[in-house]
Amino acid sequence: MEYVSTRGNGGSVTFTQAVAAGLAPDGGLYLPRELPDLSGKLDAWEDLGYAELCFEFLKEFATDMDEAVLRRLVEESYKRFTDEKIAPLVGLSDDLYVLELFHGPTLAFKDFALQLVGNLYEEQIRNSSEHINVLGATSGDTGSAAIHGLLGKDGVNIFILYPDGRISPLQERQMTTTGAANVFPLAVKGSFDDAQHIVKELFGDLDLKRQYRLSAINSINLARILAQCVYYFYAYFQLPKERRGAVEFIVPTGNFGNILAGWLAKRMGLPAASFRVATNQNDILYKLFTSGQYEVGDVVPSLAPSMDIQVASNFERFLYYLVGCDPQKVRSVMGEFRDNGRYQFESFDADVFTASHTTDAGIREIIAEVYKKYGYVVDPHTACGFVERDPAKTAVVLATAHPAKFPETITEAIGIEPTAPALEELKAKTIVRHELPAEIDDIRAFIEEHAQL
Ligand SMILES: *Cc1c(COP(=O)(O)O)cnc(C)c1O
């Protein structure tokens, strides 16, 4: 299978090349040249275990990899999950289900992709014997999931920038207490957007990028999107057959990565009816899907920090299909958006997406309500998925994080402090972090000093 950039330059690359590159050289994002039709495989996949299903799905895409190697890497990737189903579907009522995506090492859905990406990287390093340095910015969960995907792996150092004081203390502990010599958590004095901006600039410094073999692990990596497609199929197979008629996946979203994976799964044959873009108060995506206006605003810190994002990097992949797979149109929309901070679509086709948004007050209310009604505790991100429901559909809400990651908010809402053994262990460990100003020169100097060559 071949992969092309949404911006159309640079020809096509293999799966392995696309994963290694992250961003395409023309600034676009990789997608399969053509999406396969997998609808004929659904019957055979119905009863597979998670890792098996993941392997069967990925082998359609990783066509330049040895199948035995791929199988081994996939199996390895889901070994550290603590629930035997990996992604269990929990029924709250006849037409309301929760897909628990928080049983991985960092208790958030990003583990599904980043455990795999870590293993893919390690395999590539082994084959090329070229060391790499992974660089990324995080508003919380990406960084810890990336670190836990790569910690202790040979030939790779990982540098993660995060906004000091603006991620939850437990998220910070997950990044800073690993004790791994190849992990460098950088507490930056600025916002997430400042951190992300610095990372983008550093990747734009082609000499630096080449010399240190900088590699991104952010949400635009092709392998992340593909790994995330798998649990939509897996969730569908766990639904009772009589509930599969009109399924709406409700996805708490920020960077549009998780929900995009579901939508791609549908384009490849998953018989879902619709996908709900569920945002918090940082609702650029809500506005886009309800008015066709895509506009950057200031990030307002919320109770669901991993969704506090104003530029949804994976939107470009949807845009590509929206404009009829025409890279020139993608370039013109993205160019105007970059220059003006906004883009107004003349006639925006939301396809099968619906949208909702939630304030912090709404998040607290929902946590209390869901607990009262179903005896089930949702984290503040997942809460955004419970805003309103279409009674004609079976709702599957994606639970993106374990509630124990946000003990203050939960305790405030229901008077009970949620816990998780993996998080309790962190409290006794030593924090190692590097405080740096939000200045590109300081960050560059740090990387030059600590990179693997
Ligand atoms: C990253 C994250 C999200 C948002 O996911 P996107 O793919 O960026 O839309 C939602 N909830 C949690 C807990 C996250 O970590």
Side-chain angles (χ1 to χ4, degrees):
M1 182 171 290
E2 294 179 335
Y3 296 87
V4 293
S5 163
T6 48
R7 299 195 188 175
N9 297 325
S12 60
V13 297
T14 65
F15 173 81
T16 302
Q17 288 167 331
V19 172
L23 202 66
D26 62 359
L29 312 185
Y30 284 115
L31 279 169
R33 182 182 290 283
E34 268 171 46
L35 290 178
D37 177 3
L38 304 174
S39 52
K41 307 207 178 255
L42 297 186
D43 282 348
W45 287 0
E46 166 99 31
D47 296 315
L48 296 181
Y50 193 86
E52 192 64 22
L53 177 64
C54 183
F55 166 71
E56 291 296 329
F57 178 82
L58 286 179
K59 84 176 160 59
E60 303 289 324
F61 298 91
T63 49
D64 64 335
M65 281 183 74
D66 180 85
E67 283 194 8
V69 171
L70 181 65
R71 185 187 287 275
R72 174 172 56 76
L73 298 180
V74 169
E75 278 171 4
E76 205 50 53
S77 302
Y78 298 100
K79 273 201 179 137
R80 294 176 63 207
F81 283 62
T82 53
D83 189 286
E84 63 175 352
K85 294 204 93 145
I86 312 293
L89 186 73
V90 176
L92 299 187
S93 74
D94 272 1
D95 57 359
L96 176 60
Y97 293 80
V98 176
L99 180 65
E100 293 186 345
L101 299 176
F102 53 68
H103 296 288
T106 72
L107 312 190
F109 87 91
K110 294 186 175 74
D111 289 326
F112 277 85
L114 290 173
Q115 288 291 305
L116 178 75
V117 169
N119 287 325
L120 288 170
Y121 276 14
E122 189 175 45
E123 180 65 19
Q124 293 186 357
I125 293 165
R126 201 177 289 140
N127 291 337
S128 67
S129 58
E130 287 190 336
H131 294 170
I132 61 170
N133 292 284
V134 167
L135 171 64
T138 189
S139 56
D141 289 323
T142 312
S144 47
I147 284 170
H148 285 262
L150 288 170
L151 67 91
K153 295 214 187 295
D154 284 338
V156 48
N157 279 2
I158 174 164
F159 301 86
I160 296 291
L161 282 64
Y162 64 93
D164 194 10
R166 299 205 199 168
I167 66 172
S168 90
L170 281 171
Q171 284 177 323
E172 182 172 36
R173 286 194 165 270
Q174 286 182 318
M175 292 196 279
T176 56
T177 61
T178 64
N182 69 333
V183 170
F184 298 91
L186 310 183
V188 171
K189 307 283 174 209
S191 68
F192 169 67
D193 281 356
D194 295 336
Q196 194 171 42
H197 183 72
I198 292 172
V199 167
K200 277 203 181 132
E201 294 275 305
L202 290 172
F203 275 110
D205 180 342
L206 295 184
D207 287 336
L208 185 85
K209 191 175 167 206
R210 213 170 296 123
Q211 188 182 358
Y212 295 98
R213 279 194 211 84
L214 291 187
S215 181
I217 198 158
N218 49 29
S219 71
I220 51 90
N221 196 292
L222 172 76
R224 283 186 64 175
I225 300 294
L226 293 177
Q228 290 168 183
C229 293
V230 176
Y231 48 70
Y232 286 91
F233 289 97
Y234 191 67
Y236 185 81
F237 296 140
Q238 288 181 76
L239 279 171
K241 288 224 164 70
E242 68 277 12
R243 284 282 157 205
R244 295 180 186 177
V247 178
E248 174 156 270
F249 284 99
I250 303 182
V251 190
T253 189
N255 256 319
F256 205 66
N258 195 0
I259 194 166
L260 176 89
W263 182 78
L264 287 175
K266 178 174 165 64
R267 284 185 79 99
M268 293 186 260
L270 175 73
S274 56
F275 294 86
R276 165 96 69 76
V277 174
T279 75
N280 62 17
Q281 63 199 14
N282 294 300
D283 56 1
I284 178 174
L285 287 171
Y286 170 78
K287 288 185 185 136
L288 172 68
F289 279 92
T290 50
S291 73
Q293 172 148 314
Y294 191 45
E295 182 164 18
V296 193
D298 290 329
V299 175
V300 184
S302 82
L303 294 176
S306 296
M307 290 153 59
D308 288 346
I309 283 160
Q310 280 294 22
V311 180
S313 21
N314 271 295
F315 171 65
E316 183 165 339
R317 285 192 164 103
F318 174 65
L319 175 66
Y320 177 77
Y321 295 101
L322 184 70
V323 299
C325 303
D326 180 346
Q328 202 184 326
K329 285 196 188 138
V330 173
R331 287 200 298 273
S332 105
V333 173
M334 292 311 291
E336 192 176 326
F337 180 68
R338 189 193 52 226
D339 295 343
N340 306 333
R342 67 186 294 276
Y343 188 88
Q344 176 70 51
F345 289 89
E346 269 171 35
S347 57
F348 185 81
D349 178 4
D351 194 58
V352 292
F353 288 105
T354 61
S356 63
H357 60 163
T358 321
T359 60
D360 275 358
I363 287 175
R364 286 199 197 87
E365 267 167 38
I366 288 167
I367 294 171
E369 245 174 59
V370 171
Y371 183 63
K372 197 165 153 217
K373 206 161 170 195
Y374 307 108
Y376 188 82
V377 183
V378 291
D379 98 287
H381 302 80
T382 307
C384 298
F386 282 82
V387 174
E388 61 209 27
R389 272 202 290 140
D390 180 345
K393 288 177 182 159
T394 298
V396 177
V397 179
L398 273 62
T400 53
H402 193 292
K405 291 188 92 167
F406 306 93
E408 294 83 7
T409 307
I410 306 290
T411 308
E412 237 175 81
I414 63 172
I416 297 170
E417 181 166 342
T419 57
L423 294 178
E424 291 308 306
E425 285 166 21
L426 295 180
K427 292 180 182 164
K429 293 187 177 169
T430 312
I431 290 179
V432 179
R433 55 177 230 158
H434 308 273
E435 289 171 30
L436 289 169
E439 298 292 342
I440 183 162
D441 292 339
D442 296 87
I443 309 284
R444 185 193 289 112
F446 186 92
I447 291 170
E448 286 172 343
E449 193 179 331
H450 297 93
Q452 283 215 24
L453 281 175

